[in-house]
Amino acid sequence: MEILPAEDHFLRSFVKRGGYLRSGAHIGRDIYGCRGLIQVKRETAGLFLVLGELEWQKRQSNPSVVRLLERVEEFNMDKVIQEFESLTKDAERVQRETLKRILEDNASAEYLQSLGLNGRTDPHSFKSCVPLVTHKELEPYIYRIIDGDASPILTGKTITTMSLSSGTTQGKPKYVPWNDELFETTMQIYQTSFAFRNREFPIKNAKALSFIYGSKQLKTKGGLAARTATSNVFRSAGYKCAMRALQSQCCSPDEVIFGPDFFQSLYCHLLCGLIFREEVQFVSSTFAHSIVHAFRTFEQVWEELCNDIREGVLTSNVTVPSIRMAMSKLLKPNPELANVIHKKCMGLSNWYGLIPELFPNAKYIYGIMTGSMEPYLKKLSHYAGELPLLTADYGSSEGWIAANVNPRLPPEKATYAVLPHIGYFEFIPLSQLESINGEPDFLSSDPQPVGLTEVKVGEEYEIVMTNPAGLYRYRLGDVVKVMGFHNSTPELKFIRRSSLLLNINIDKNTEKDLQLAVEAAAKLLAEERLEVVDFSSHVDLSKEPGHYVIFWETSGEASEELLHECSNCLDKSFVDAGYTSSRKVNCIGALELRVVKRGTFQKILDHYLGLGTAVSQYKTPRCVGPTNTKVLQILSENVVKSFISTAFN
Ligand code: AMP
């Protein structure tokens, strides 16, 4: 078998890895422009669809490709599960091979060359030559790429696209390289989790109501495209085809997904969902926050939506011409449907069970629901009624890590099984970081990570990733806990971002600690049937002693007495010994709860959208540092009341 499709990276790397295309197909030079023929094995998986459509678009509707594609078989669930089982049975070997492949493919990269690997690809040499890095250390290389230096800097092949991470931790988006291989790993993750999900919750001929949004596309100084990683995925040529194979096609047209105005896109997603309500078999988004946000919006606009459906005319509030044009093809006067929806909404009590009422054939809700998404779960369950909540996979703009292969577990218990062939993974034991100077000090120590199959159940680790797009031994900044193993690959629980959030004195509180404190105080609010819509925090050092500030947006007006009680509860709920002891001796001042106007967190979201973040990847900043002046300004300008805790008086 000779495979020399000159510029065809996908096909080459895919087949090289023993990838399977479609049954007995011979794809000749006239199709792929390769010398000789590719004899394809008698096995099939959805990935061929990806290749097929991509090539098809490249080669401009060659009739033989069209015919070939029409005969493509369906996604083979059992095959994907089998393959995952076999890869995870020998995860250590697969890791070694993955590292070898990454290092060979990128052997000419200046970064690797300078580290003296000299062609060695074994884990030992890799670890001894290549340092652990964070984004900061790679920035000089990344900025050269962004500025248009096309030489092999971090990867063998030139990087032409960048991903923008949401940047909510640092306050500004970060650039990370994107390439075809990352798209490929995305599809591998999607296929794996879909296979396991579909075994437990089968869907057929489905449409998905997916609240997904393309981000603005920026051009860097050197002419590279830069958008969020999710937008890079949605815009990849093979994406739609792959989603069709996974029965996960979004029911909204592209004009809605990539529309320039978030609210108009959201409105039309809802409208499309209602138009196709019988066919919608699941409701999804990348991060669960977008689903909650969408149905909160639905509560405000449902009558307008019904009106549009009744008349067959889109509201004049949607003004983007391309969206109006696309929606006009779907929207026909349908008074009957409008009445059904109207009646259903009127019959609900406080919108409980809204999603299954609107979408009678929905089998589940799907999106990332762990980590910083946990605060939205309560509201999501409320809208979902009896429908199961299935958390999606675990990854980042830098690359994917693990898939949810136990979809029956509720989000609170969810774990993610690492795919050993999509990257090379190392784990820094948190205990090791702690033993260096008593507390986890994530950046100043010289940790010794362990390999994927060397991790221990019950231990917490910081993840280090080597990906096929130029990141080598990259500290992702996430803390995970090993809950068990799937064959020989670990099943991880996402714990938190590694950086400390709140720290004034000897206190140390993380995102998780903040979340628990807010959860405890929100229980008091629930007594007045109110909820915390969203929250953030800040360390106020403007006066001595410094103190914690918690910003809250609530669903309605709570009594002053209750809010004061909430501020006490928040103060008492930070149980870290450093905090409580500092509070007792007044080295840290009384916690302040600042209640902000309704819509304040929407303004923060809008601000991040302006910076290039897409809603699909948005995570509310849980702590606003002093340098994040714009967000701090939005919060401060919208404070309506503030309450000082008396819990330690
Ligand atoms: P971004 O690169 O902006 O998309 O953000 C990636 C980050 O989102 C990761 O580093 C995690 O902190 C978080 N994240 C991604 N997937 C999950 C998940 N399944 N559970 C919890 N947090 C996640």
Side-chain angles (χ1 to χ4, degrees):
M1 176 163 79
E2 192 186 17
I3 309 158
L4 288 167
E7 80 279 72
D8 192 344
H9 164 75
F10 267 133
L11 200 59
R12 188 164 51 86
S13 65
F14 182 57
V15 177
K16 210 164 77 184
R17 257 166 270 161
Y20 28 79
L21 303 182
R22 67 174 297 282
S23 305
H26 291 253
I27 308 172
R29 65 186 308 156
D30 57 336
I31 296 172
Y32 282 110
C34 36
R35 281 198 269 139
L37 293 176
I38 294 170
Q39 170 76 59
V40 190
K41 285 198 226 158
R42 211 196 138 61
E43 287 155 311
T44 307
L47 200 51
F48 174 57
L49 298 176
V50 178
L51 300 168
E53 184 166 275
L54 180 89
E55 287 308 311
W56 183 29
Q57 290 182 1
K58 266 203 217 155
R59 311 256 172 232
Q60 294 289 309
S61 54
N62 178 325
S64 47
V65 181
V66 178
R67 275 199 303 279
L68 199 83
L69 286 172
E70 280 168 354
R71 286 187 282 127
V72 164
E73 292 169 27
E74 279 187 4
F75 172 77
N76 189 335
M77 181 174 89
D78 295 336
K79 179 107 213 143
V80 172
I81 293 181
Q82 243 175 44
E83 189 173 287
F84 178 74
E85 294 299 343
S86 117
L87 285 165
T88 53
K89 276 194 182 115
D90 203 355
E92 206 239 312
R93 177 184 56 80
V94 176
Q95 277 283 274
R96 259 187 284 117
E97 288 172 3
T98 306
L99 178 64
K100 182 167 183 281
R101 191 183 74 233
I102 292 175
L103 295 180
E104 279 176 359
D105 285 353
N106 298 297
S108 60
E110 173 191 319
Y111 181 76
L112 287 179
Q113 296 224 331
S114 70
L115 295 168
L117 272 169
N118 296 328
R120 286 171 296 166
T121 61
D122 62 288
H124 179 73
S125 309
F126 179 62
K127 287 182 194 177
S128 52
C129 295
V130 179
L132 292 169
V133 291
T134 63
H135 192 268
K136 199 157 180 278
E137 280 86 43
L138 292 183
E139 270 170 14
Y141 299 93
I142 291 178
Y143 279 103
R144 273 174 58 204
I145 299 173
I146 288 172
D147 290 347
D149 184 341
S151 63
I153 297 175
L154 287 170
T155 48
K157 274 186 26 183
T158 307
I159 294 285
T160 56
T161 306
M162 283 282 162
S163 290
L164 282 166
S165 79
S166 57
T168 34
T169 314
Q170 265 85 32
K172 67 174 187 344
K174 282 184 306 204
Y175 288 100
V176 289
W178 167 265
N179 66 8
D180 292 343
E181 293 223 346
L182 284 187
F183 177 70
E184 210 178 301
T185 58
T186 307
M187 292 304 118
Q188 282 160 347
I189 278 273
Y190 283 8
Q191 285 189 333
T192 306
S193 58
F194 177 75
F196 281 92
R197 193 161 78 246
N198 215 42
R199 189 167 71 173
E200 304 287 335
F201 302 94
I203 52 174
K204 211 162 171 45
N205 301 327
K207 275 198 166 55
L209 169 54
S210 300
F211 295 101
I212 54 176
Y213 308 87
S215 66
K216 279 203 297 202
Q217 175 170 318
L218 315 173
K219 271 262 177 263
T220 69
K221 205 168 105 194
L224 279 74
R227 29 178 136 79
T228 56
T230 40
S231 301
N232 280 328
V233 173
F234 304 152
R235 288 208 182 261
S236 291
Y239 175 72
K240 266 209 239 159
C241 211
M243 289 299 105
R244 250 197 318 274
L246 302 184
Q247 312 208 31
S248 308
Q249 226 184 335
C250 176
C251 64
S252 311
D254 279 358
E255 290 80 353
V256 170
I257 299 171
F258 298 109
D261 179 282
F262 164 60
F263 177 78
Q264 297 186 27
S265 289
L266 165 53
Y267 183 90
C268 291
H269 272 316
L270 288 167
L271 195 52
C272 291
L274 295 176
I275 293 170
F276 294 108
R277 71 185 281 268
E278 301 281 344
E279 287 143 86
V280 168
Q281 290 188 25
F282 67 99
V283 174
S284 73
S285 69
T286 311
F287 285 97
H289 165 263
S290 302
I291 307 180
V292 172
H293 189 280
F295 287 100
R296 280 193 200 276
T297 308
F298 181 90
E299 289 186 28
Q300 314 296 319
V301 299
W302 68 280
E303 283 170 302
E304 203 177 349
L305 288 163
C306 286
N307 231 17
D308 290 3
I309 294 173
R310 183 170 291 107
E311 308 292 331
V313 181
L314 189 60
T315 169
S316 56
N317 290 334
V318 176
T319 53
V320 176
S322 58
I323 299 187
R324 290 198 70 84
M325 174 70 91
M327 290 304 295
S328 70
K329 291 184 191 142
L330 301 175
L331 197 56
K332 303 282 171 280
N334 191 342
E336 206 181 312
L337 176 61
N339 289 342
V340 170
I341 296 165
H342 197 276
K343 201 161 151 219
K344 291 206 174 280
C345 290
M346 294 299 284
L348 289 172
S349 160
N350 194 24
W351 302 101
Y352 177 82
L354 171 63
I355 298 178
E357 276 301 308
L358 295 180
F359 310 105
N361 297 314
K363 305 284 190 298
Y364 52 83
I365 317 275
Y366 185 65
I368 293 172
M369 296 175 188
T370 45
S372 61
M373 294 298 123
E374 281 167 28
Y376 307 108
L377 278 183
K378 195 161 168 242
K379 190 69 180 171
L380 190 58
S381 307
H382 184 84
Y383 287 134
E386 301 294 307
L387 276 182
L389 304 183
L390 275 56
T391 185
D393 305 311
Y394 172 37
S396 66
S397 306
E398 288 87 345
W400 286 98
I401 299 157
N404 176 6
V405 297
N406 299 307
R408 283 216 176 263
L409 289 180
E412 306 80 49
K413 297 201 171 132
T415 59
Y416 302 99
V418 179
L419 266 63
H421 57 305
I422 59 171
Y424 183 74
F425 301 103
E426 296 171 74
F427 295 81
I428 304 174
L430 228 55
S431 55
Q432 197 187 91
L433 291 176
E434 279 170 3
S435 67
I436 290 165
N437 48 12
E439 288 292 343
D441 183 345
F442 288 91
L443 297 178
S444 62
S445 49
D446 179 25
Q448 301 297 319
V450 298
L452 179 74
T453 53
E454 294 164 344
V455 295
K456 295 205 171 67
V457 174
E459 294 282 310
E460 292 190 352
Y461 298 90
E462 192 204 325
I463 290 202
V464 176
M465 164 193 277
T466 295
N467 80 358
L471 303 182
Y472 308 95
R473 308 197 82 206
Y474 177 94
R475 295 177 73 167
L476 190 60
D478 284 348
V479 175
V480 294
K481 183 172 183 174
V482 177
M483 304 306 285
F485 281 88
H486 185 105
N487 296 320
S488 61
T489 203
E491 292 190 321
L492 309 175
K493 183 178 168 64
F494 181 89
I495 301 293
R496 58 182 167 87
R497 295 287 300 161
S498 56
S499 46
L500 285 169
L501 219 54
L502 296 163
N503 167 230
I504 292 176
N505 186 18
I506 52 165
D507 54 313
K508 298 213 166 3
N509 281 301
T510 64
E511 178 174 351
K512 187 78 192 171
D513 300 317
L514 171 67
Q515 188 185 313
L516 291 174
V518 169
E519 245 169 52
K523 283 201 184 111
L524 301 176
L525 263 197
E527 286 165 17
E528 289 192 6
R529 292 177 66 93
L530 294 171
E531 314 156 23
V532 177
V533 174
D534 225 330
F535 62 95
S536 191
S537 66
H538 172 63
V539 167
D540 186 344
L541 298 174
S542 61
K543 273 189 283 178
E544 278 285 324
H547 68 282
Y548 290 6
V549 176
I550 311 295
F551 293 97
W552 260 17
E553 179 174 325
T554 55
S555 57
E557 230 179 279
S559 65
E560 303 233 339
E561 198 187 351
L562 178 63
L563 287 167
H564 185 238
E565 226 183 293
C566 289
S567 69
N568 286 345
C569 177
L570 283 164
D571 207 2
K572 280 279 181 196
S573 298
F574 286 104
V575 288
D576 155 58
Y579 183 73
T580 47
S581 58
S582 305
R583 279 288 291 118
K584 279 180 196 151
V585 295
N586 206 32
C587 284
I588 296 181
L591 178 143
E592 187 182 356
L593 170 61
R594 293 187 192 158
V595 181
V596 294
K597 275 188 214 141
R598 270 318 290 269
T600 303
F601 281 85
Q602 174 69 46
K603 287 185 188 157
I604 296 175
L605 170 67
D606 292 341
H607 161 69
Y608 278 101
L609 296 188
L611 292 181
T613 302
V615 181
S616 294
Q617 253 171 279
Y618 179 71
K619 297 164 214 79
T620 298
R622 292 293 181 217
C623 183
V624 186
T627 53
N628 199 349
T629 42
K630 183 66 200 172
V631 173
L632 212 48
Q633 187 194 345
I634 298 173
L635 286 166
S636 307
E637 282 172 1
N638 285 282
V639 173
V640 280
K641 280 180 206 155
S642 101
F643 300 86
I644 309 277
S645 154
T646 49
F648 287 84
N649 287 8

